[in-house]
Structure formats: C-alpha cells, structure tokens
Amino acid sequence: MRDIKAIIRDMTLEEKAGLCSGQDFWHLKAVERLGVPGVMVSDGPHGLRKQDLSKSSDHLGINDSISAVCFPSACGASASFDRELLTEVGALLGEECQAEDVSVLLGPAVNIKRSPLCGRNFEYYSEDPHVAGQLAAAVIKGVQSKNVGVSVKHYAANNQEYHRMNVSAEADERTLREIYLAAFETAVKEAKPWTVMCGYNKINGEYASEDHWLLTEVLRDEWGFDGCVVSDWGAVNDRVKGLAAGLDIEMPTSGGVTDALIVKAVRDGSLDESVLDTVVERILNLVFKYADNRIQAVFDRDAHHEAAVKAALECAVLLKNEDGALPLKTGSNVAFIGEFAKKPRFQGGGSSHINPSKIDNALDSTAGRAVITYAAGFPADKDEEIAGLIEEAVESAKGKDAAVIFAGLPDIFESEGYDREHMRLPLVQNKLIEAVAAVQPNTVVVLHNGSPVEIPWIGKVKAVLEMYLAGQGAGRAAADLLFGAANPSGKLAETFPLKLSDNPSFLYFPGDGKTAEYREGVFIGYRYYDKKEMDVLFPFGHGLSYTTFEYSNLRLSNANIKDTETLTVSVDVANTGGREGKETVQLYVSDHTNTAVRPLKELKGFAKLSLKPGEKKTAEFTLSKRAFAWYNEAISDWYCASGEYEILIGASSRDIRLSAKLNIESTQLIKMNVTQKTLMEDLLANPKTAGIIKGYIENQPLFSQGESDAASAVINSQMALRMMLEMPLCSIRMFGQISEERLNRLIDELNSQIDG
Ligand code: BGC
C-alpha cells in the first residue's frame, strides 16, 4: 500500500496545484522527484482513440489516432439491451487501454436523448434513464475489470450541441433527478467509476464545472462517489471555485495559468489548503490505482474485430418485416443499392472517432451467399442527386428476387459539435427508395444512423433493418442478418416519432443559445407519447425477430408490500417459432395512486433471454421502493405513496403482454403541520390523521342526508366525497358542523398525533 498522505506532505504547494490540471492534451502531470507518474487518458467511448503526441492533438476527432477496434456506438449498443455483451466489450476496451498504456478511457456517455436532433445522440444510450444507467454500469464493470478507469460523461444535463459550452439547461429538480441525473446515479452506485467528467454546460445558471450541489452534495455525499471529477476538455470557467465545488482535474493543460490561480488562492487564504490536499489525494489515488495494477495485456486486433462483429449482430433492430421478406434466401438474385453497402457508416464524428483496424462491408460479406448486383444509387456523403444513378439503381432492382437499399445519414448530418437541422434522411435517398419500391415488391432498407429518422416510405417497403452505427463489424453483421445466418434481437432504446414536431422538446429545443428550457419536464420520449396517446412510427422497446415469443405466467412474490420490502416479479417466455432467437422482456411500472403527475408507465427492468425453438425460460426481476417512487421536491426525497401500482410486462412499450396489480404501503411519513388550510386528501393520506378525519368527513351533512333525501338526487355521497377531498380542513366549519374553537382544538389534536 502506498502512503499517499506522506507523498502529499512532501509536495510543494506548486506541485499540488499543478497536479490539478493536465500536462498536455492527454496526460496528467508527473511529479518525478516523488515517483508520481504522469498517466495518459484517451477517448472513448466505443473504441480507443489514442493520439500520437509527436503529431497534433485535438479533442474533436480531427487528427488521426492509433489503429484500434471500433465497437458499436452507444446508439447501437443500447439496442442490444444486453448487459453481458457490454461488459465483454468493456473488458476488451480495457485490454486495449492496458496494451497502449492508457489509464482512463473517456466514456461511457450517458446523457439522455432529449431530442432526436442532438448531434451526439449516437454516443448516448437512450431516452430512458434506466436503460442508460444499466448499460453504462455494464460497460464500466468490463473496462475497470482490466484495472483501467472510465470517465462517465457529460455530467449533467448536457443534451444538445448547440452552444454546448455556455448554454444553461433549465430544469426543475424532479426532472433532473428522475431523468437527467438518474443514469449517472446508477453508474456511480453500481459500477464505481474511477472518474466522472463534468459537462461544458450550466445547469440552472451554474456551470457544471463549479456546481457544488452537483459535484459534491449529490455526486459524493448522496451517491457515495469516491473517484475524481475531470472537466470536459475546456469546460473550466472559474478554476478556484470549481476546485472548492468538487472539480479535481482540469483537462487539458491550462499552461500553468490556473495552477497559479490555485496557488494564489491558498496563499491569500481564499482557498483552504486542506481542500486542495483532499483533491490531490483523490488524484494520487487514481494515478496509483492504475500505475500499481498494470496488467500485461495484448491488443489482438483480429480477435477484437471478431468481437466487434458479434456485438454488431446484437445491436440491429428489425423494425419491419412484412410477409417474411427477411431473411433473404441463399442463392437468390438480389440488387444491393447504395454506397453504404461498400462503405458502411459505422461511427460518428468528433472526439469518439476511431481509426478502425479493419472494416467489413456488406457487399463483400455476402459473397457466395447470393447472386448480387450492385448500384451506387446516391452519394453516401451528401444529399445530392447524381445524374443517372437513380435510374441505374431502379433498372438493377427490376426482376430480382429482392432489392436491398443501404441508406443512412451522411457524416455531415450528425456529429459532435453541432446539432442536426432536421430529422430527415437525405431527400435523394427518399426519392431513390420510392423509385425502387415502385418496381421491386421485395424492397428492404438497411439503415445506418445514430438517431431516429422520419421514414415517409415505410408503407412501400417490405422490411427495414436498423443497423445504427454498429462499429467496424457492421457490414458483415448486416449481411449475416439479411441472409438469416443470425437472427435480429435488438430493441429500440428510443422512440421513432412520426415527425420531429411530435417530440416533446420540439418547442424549446435547442433554445436561444443562452438557455435551454426543459419545459416538458419528466415527459420525455415514450413517457410523453404514451400519456398523450400519440401514434408513433416505432415505439420505445420495439424490435422484431425471425422467430416468435409467447409470454405467460406472470407472478408477483406478494400483492401487498411495504415500501421497505422488495418485490420479485417472474414471467415465463417461450420461443414458439422455428428459429433460435433472443427476446428482451421489458418491465414497466404504472402508478395508480394519483399522488403526482406521472407518466403512464416507466421502464424499471429488462432481461434478454436466448431461446432455442420450443424452449421456455423465466425472466426474474427484483424491484425495491425506488422502482415505484418519484422525486418529491417537498421532502427532497424519493417518495412512493401508499396505494395501487401495476406491473406491466411487454415486448415493447406498446406491446404489453401481461399485467398484475399490487398494493404498496408507504412507511415514509411526510412531515406535515396541520392548519385550517390543510387539505382533506392530505389528512386522509397520512396514516396518523386518516382515522380522525374520516370520522368528520362521514358526518358531514353532505353524507348524512342519506340517499333518500332530495339533495342526493343532485349530489350523491360519492360526489360529495370527491368534493370534500380537495377542500381545506376549515370547510367542516363552513357546513356549520363545528365551532371555531372546536376546529382549533381538532388542529391541535391532529398535530399532536403527527408528532406523537
Ligand atoms: C468531448 C468529450 C471528450 C473530450 C476529449 C470533448 O470535446 O465533449 O466527450 O472526451 O473532448 O476529447
């Protein structure tokens, strides 16, 4: 064990301050005289982007990096809904880091997909925080199993690229807690990341890099984070304020400027040196955790490439498959159309851009399986019609058994650094697809994109296979899936709305550049579309297979629980088709207690099962209070009200197969001071006051008149109860049932019950 505290005692103030910012673009500073090495960090998240420091460095993916393996980006990885797969991929990334002497991989990125327009959506997992948190935790466990750290980013509410370095995300605390912080919370609590990267943006007016509430109160004090907070590259505003708020490492180098500010602050007494010492201790712990636990790892690019193909197979989502158009028959005559068949788009632009060791394309990977003709159809890098290409593609599709069009977004359409302008595919691609579908009844479209697109031709094609940006194995995976060598098993971790303006953030995204108002609150993605009963193109959780699954036998361990107890939910799933396949069983919770404005349902569990034909397996979920709770700002805590809840088990958010109800009894007493204005419903909801107040309500003249009274023709007892619930306590005086003095005595009695 190293004596970190002894090293700190030996450090000069300048050395300590120096450790709080980078040496250069990718290294922390060394303190050679004390044996502290200057370790390297690199992007991430879905591959290693290690830049050669003898050449130019940048954080925007401009300069080249070493050859590495590009695994599926988060948009595809999330569609796998496969924790084990992501842990395996994480471990391979960790091996690559060890082999290349990289101490921290800058990812995963767990920001929530608020709008389909965010330029970095391809790097993010989901519109749902449960999916994002669970999958991020899985990756982190994999990477860190190789003694390499991660940096969970971009903390927090960093959901757009427009003015990303100064925009303020304006959201209420409930929305932040339930949606935008939740995935970070899961990642921190379940996987103990070595570092968290704070975002560029402000939250409610405060830069994330100097937000004490965010970096210390929530992250460390509440969630128990014990690693380092690293700034996003250039995210520091006021370095000394940031240090005191909980920002440990500024990246990249500040050229010594901010180190000097820290020294000055300690000298003039505005920063307590003990704060700096705590930060330095955390940084040294990070450095030695890596340096003292090196693993001899090999970076076997070929083996990792095979793993990338395997991962890509799990990420593809079969969105539509009419008349069993897919899989295509071996030996059939098929037209492949679109440059993406030769040059798949498999990753996005910016800091996550990997220099791939190898790229498989669908055209070459199909060799020997079918008679293929190829036509380019359109340029892959822009929205431009090139004379003759559409006509040539249409001719090639005529009379064939099927046509497969490889469509998708050009690089320029989605990237780090700016947002998308619209949700459309290039117009030339839409035109080509319509033209081919007009002559070829078996038209199949393969999509390469990092975020949802509008699909105006959906009714005209037989099948759509969403490949997302599936890494360097995307092409071979597409060929295997198209010809049935593998069975698609991905599900959408986001909704495909019919059109952009349906999206709940549409009116406020991306804001005016100064603020981005999250006025849709917790109603993002399916939480909104479901509540509004809107049609969508493809719902959250949707994804088809070449086989079929039957759900049965939903069991709850108990239909009545306290909020301190856990609930076990089990459901059987059988493969009722003729092929081996995988199904992601989804568990949603619905709150029927009417205590807060909530979505109709929220995903709280998922399990991916692999099933042979005829095989049946049981998916099991354990739910605790948090799965049922909402964030109650009045008590600054998660709250699960007493009453009825429903468990919904689905193959997608809009394909609920089974459901079961349960009752939960809350043990959480909401502190309450009864006054004349306290509402009856609040008194009834509190077990300590409910009994007394029930008696008063039932004795109200509205109730006691009896059903035969003429008044009951106008107001029956049920109606009276509904009215009473929302009346203040003093209303019982209004009905002449109680004197002022007696009312005040009743208030004292209720308050003493609560305190007792
Ligand atoms: C990005 C981060 C990235 C960093 C280093 C920033 O611009 O937002 O995601 O890790 O650069 O390249």
Side-chain angles (χ1 to χ4, degrees):
M1 273 294 279
R2 279 187 188 262
D3 190 348
I4 302 275
K5 288 211 169 16
I7 301 178
I8 299 171
R9 274 196 302 276
D10 288 344
M11 288 173 85
T12 64
L13 176 59
E14 284 73 12
E15 282 168 341
K16 288 193 276 191
L19 213 56
C20 300
S21 66
Q23 165 70 26
D24 53 33
F25 232 86
W26 303 115
H27 288 87
L28 307 195
K29 290 199 191 78
V31 185
E32 275 165 23
R33 72 178 187 92
L34 297 174
V36 179
V39 297
M40 183 174 200
V41 302
S42 280
D43 282 304
H46 48 263
L48 179 59
R49 187 175 78 101
K50 183 185 176 189
Q51 287 191 317
D52 179 351
L53 287 171
S54 60
K55 302 188 185 136
S56 298
S57 301
D58 70 276
H59 61 300
L60 298 172
I62 298 166
N63 293 291
D64 234 348
S65 47
I66 61 151
S67 144
V69 177
C70 180
F71 292 94
S73 342
C75 58
S78 58
S80 77
F81 277 82
D82 191 333
R83 297 176 186 85
E84 274 172 39
L85 174 80
L86 294 202
T87 301
E88 279 169 30
V89 169
L92 297 178
L93 291 170
E95 267 176 21
E96 297 192 14
C97 289
Q98 280 288 358
E100 290 291 333
D101 200 4
V102 169
S103 67
V104 173
L105 185 73
L106 302 175
V110 303
N111 297 104
I112 295 296
K113 301 189 190 196
R114 178 174 172 237
S115 161
L117 295 187
C118 174
R120 281 186 105 166
N121 273 356
F122 69 90
E123 277 188 77
Y124 301 149
Y125 291 103
S126 181
E127 69 187 25
D128 180 272
H130 183 74
V131 179
Q134 288 286 312
L135 296 181
V139 174
I140 297 167
K141 286 177 192 164
V143 176
Q144 295 194 166
S145 71
K146 300 295 173 186
N147 295 346
V148 168
V150 299
S151 203
V152 184
K153 63 191 188 183
H154 310 87
Y155 185 58
N158 187 245
N159 309 97
Q160 64 187 58
E161 291 301 279
Y162 183 65
H163 283 225
R164 69 169 170 161
M165 299 191 77
N166 66 295
V167 74
S168 177
E170 305 279 315
D172 57 73
E173 187 172 356
R174 178 178 168 203
T175 301
L176 290 173
R177 296 277 190 169
E178 290 186 26
I179 306 292
Y180 297 98
L181 298 184
F184 290 97
E185 180 179 359
T186 305
V188 166
K189 287 181 173 170
E190 287 206 7
K192 302 211 166 303
W194 291 12
T195 80
V196 165
M197 185 191 293
C198 72
Y200 288 123
N201 56 299
K202 298 175 199 152
I203 299 175
N204 294 324
E206 187 82 302
Y207 277 105
S209 62
E210 54 197 50
D211 187 336
H212 190 268
W213 173 77
L214 189 72
L215 303 184
T216 297
E217 290 161 52
V218 174
L219 182 64
R220 295 187 192 281
D221 301 347
E222 283 186 35
W223 300 346
F225 176 66
D226 60 1
C228 286
V229 176
V230 181
S231 76
D232 198 346
W233 268 230
V236 167
N237 173 52
D238 179 333
R239 181 64 186 107
V240 176
K241 184 178 175 197
L243 195 91
L247 171 63
D248 302 302
I249 305 169
E250 170 181 7
M251 285 302 283
T253 179
S254 75
V257 174
T258 54
D259 307 353
L261 291 176
I262 296 172
V263 170
K264 181 172 170 285
V266 171
R267 294 237 161 90
D268 69 19
S270 53
L271 179 74
D272 198 309
E273 191 162 355
S274 66
V275 174
L276 177 60
D277 287 352
T278 305
V279 168
V280 170
E281 186 175 342
R282 290 199 286 252
I283 299 173
L284 291 177
N285 274 324
L286 170 75
V287 168
F288 286 114
K289 199 163 171 177
Y290 172 72
D292 288 345
N293 297 288
R294 293 297 312 277
I295 293 176
Q296 282 307 316
V298 279
F299 181 171
D300 182 343
R301 288 178 173 74
D302 288 338
H304 288 199
H305 176 75
E306 290 309 311
V309 175
K310 187 182 148 216
L313 286 171
E314 302 291 320
C315 300
V317 186
L318 184 58
L319 293 175
K320 173 175 179 175
N321 195 17
E322 210 176 292
D323 306 330
L326 290 178
L328 300 169
K329 289 191 185 55
T330 309
S332 54
N333 273 318
V334 183
F336 270 19
I337 296 166
E339 279 187 5
F340 291 123
K342 277 191 173 169
K343 273 178 31 186
R345 180 156 178 268
F346 59 89
Q347 64 173 331
S351 61
S352 67
H353 203 268
I354 310 303
N355 177 10
S357 61
K358 185 173 170 182
I359 302 168
D360 285 341
N361 72 37
L363 193 59
D364 295 343
S365 304
T366 307
R369 294 195 234 219
V371 182
I372 303 287
T373 55
Y374 170 75
F378 55 86
D381 60 347
K382 50 184 178 253
D383 187 5
E384 200 178 287
E385 194 172 333
I386 296 182
L389 285 193
I390 292 188
E391 293 73 11
E392 182 199 8
V394 168
E395 280 311 306
S396 80
K398 279 184 190 161
K400 296 277 162 49
D401 295 321
V404 181
I405 302 165
F406 293 81
L409 296 177
D411 278 325
I412 186 81
F413 274 49
E414 55 183 349
S415 165
E416 176 178 344
Y418 55 89
D419 291 319
R420 291 165 75 191
E421 285 167 14
H422 54 72
M423 216 180 96
R424 292 191 300 274
L425 281 165
L427 296 176
V428 61
Q429 294 187 24
N430 285 339
K431 183 172 171 188
L432 173 127
I433 293 167
E434 300 243 4
V436 169
V439 301
Q440 172 50 260
N442 291 320
T443 296
V444 172
V445 177
V446 175
L447 287 172
H448 300 80
N449 46 300
S451 201
V453 289
E454 290 166 9
I455 307 188
W457 35 260
I458 190 67
K460 298 183 181 156
V461 302
K462 280 277 165 63
V464 181
L465 182 66
E466 172 61 80
M467 288 302 296
Y468 278 114
L469 304 183
Q472 66 186 53
R476 198 157 104 211
D480 283 357
L481 292 159
L482 287 170
F483 285 92
N487 190 351
S489 65
K491 301 260 187 177
L492 293 178
E494 60 194 341
T495 310
F496 273 46
L498 284 166
K499 54 187 189 305
L500 179 65
S501 55
D502 288 348
N503 180 264
S505 73
F506 178 74
L507 293 176
Y508 324 110
F509 184 95
D512 61 4
K514 295 186 184 70
T515 57
E517 296 181 38
Y518 287 37
R519 291 205 198 180
E520 68 283 7
V522 298
F523 291 97
I524 85 150
Y526 68 89
R527 287 165 164 76
Y528 174 80
Y529 301 117
D530 283 0
K531 191 97 174 182
K532 294 276 290 179
E533 300 179 334
M534 288 167 74
D535 285 339
V536 296
L537 181 58
F538 295 111
F540 175 87
H542 168 76
L544 306 171
S545 165
Y546 296 153
T547 188
T548 50
F549 302 100
E550 199 176 273
Y551 289 57
S552 64
N553 199 16
L554 172 60
R555 288 146 283 162
L556 307 187
S557 57
N558 198 338
N560 293 289
I561 59 165
K562 289 202 169 117
D563 62 358
T564 45
E565 295 167 347
T566 55
L567 176 79
T568 308
V569 178
S570 327
V571 61
D572 296 341
V573 181
N575 183 342
T576 47
R579 292 192 51 135
E580 184 168 355
K582 292 181 183 167
E583 174 71 336
T584 295
V585 184
Q586 299 156 45
L587 183 154
Y588 298 86
V589 168
S590 183
D591 177 349
H592 294 180
T593 65
N594 282 326
T595 32
V597 177
R598 293 191 73 177
L600 289 184
K601 60 178 175 299
E602 296 176 45
L603 187 84
K604 297 296 171 185
F606 60 86
K608 192 166 188 176
L609 303 177
S610 176
L611 296 159
K612 298 204 170 55
E615 195 180 5
K616 187 193 274 187
K617 282 186 186 163
T618 301
E620 199 172 274
F621 309 88
T622 304
L623 304 178
S624 56
K625 173 185 159 188
R626 182 64 183 269
F628 301 94
W630 55 284
Y631 191 80
N632 187 340
E633 288 188 45
I635 56 168
S636 297
D637 201 357
W638 296 91
Y639 181 63
C640 163
S642 291
E644 186 182 274
Y645 293 80
E646 192 171 13
I647 302 291
L648 307 169
I649 299 290
S652 91
S653 61
R654 294 256 169 121
D655 183 8
I656 299 301
R657 304 285 180 89
L658 298 165
S659 66
K661 291 182 179 155
L662 76 150
N663 266 289
I664 302 185
E665 185 192 325
S666 174
T667 57
Q668 199 172 4
L669 284 182
I670 300 220
K671 192 80 192 111
M672 184 175 182
N673 180 34
V674 181
T675 67
Q676 292 208 0
K677 289 293 179 199
T678 303
L679 297 189
M680 296 295 197
E681 63 182 5
D682 292 336
L683 293 165
L684 281 172
N686 189 324
K688 295 206 172 177
T689 51
I692 303 175
I693 219 63
K694 226 166 152 230
Y696 274 92
I697 290 187
E698 280 164 6
N699 283 326
Q700 284 304 307
L702 287 174
F703 285 93
S704 49
Q705 276 162 357
E707 298 295 331
S708 60
D709 195 298
S712 70
V714 185
I715 299 177
N716 64 33
S717 57
Q718 264 186 332
M719 293 159 77
L721 178 64
R722 287 289 300 273
M723 288 181 195
M724 289 289 302
L725 287 178
E726 290 167 34
M727 287 185 185
L729 179 58
C730 60
S731 58
I732 53 177
R733 184 193 52 200
M734 201 164 64
F735 293 116
Q737 193 199 6
I738 193 170
S739 68
E740 179 75 8
E741 190 203 343
R742 176 72 191 100
L743 175 64
N744 286 332
R745 263 192 284 124
L746 173 63
I747 290 172
D748 288 345
E749 187 190 344
L750 290 167
N751 277 324
S752 68
Q753 281 295 322
I754 290 169
D755 296 337

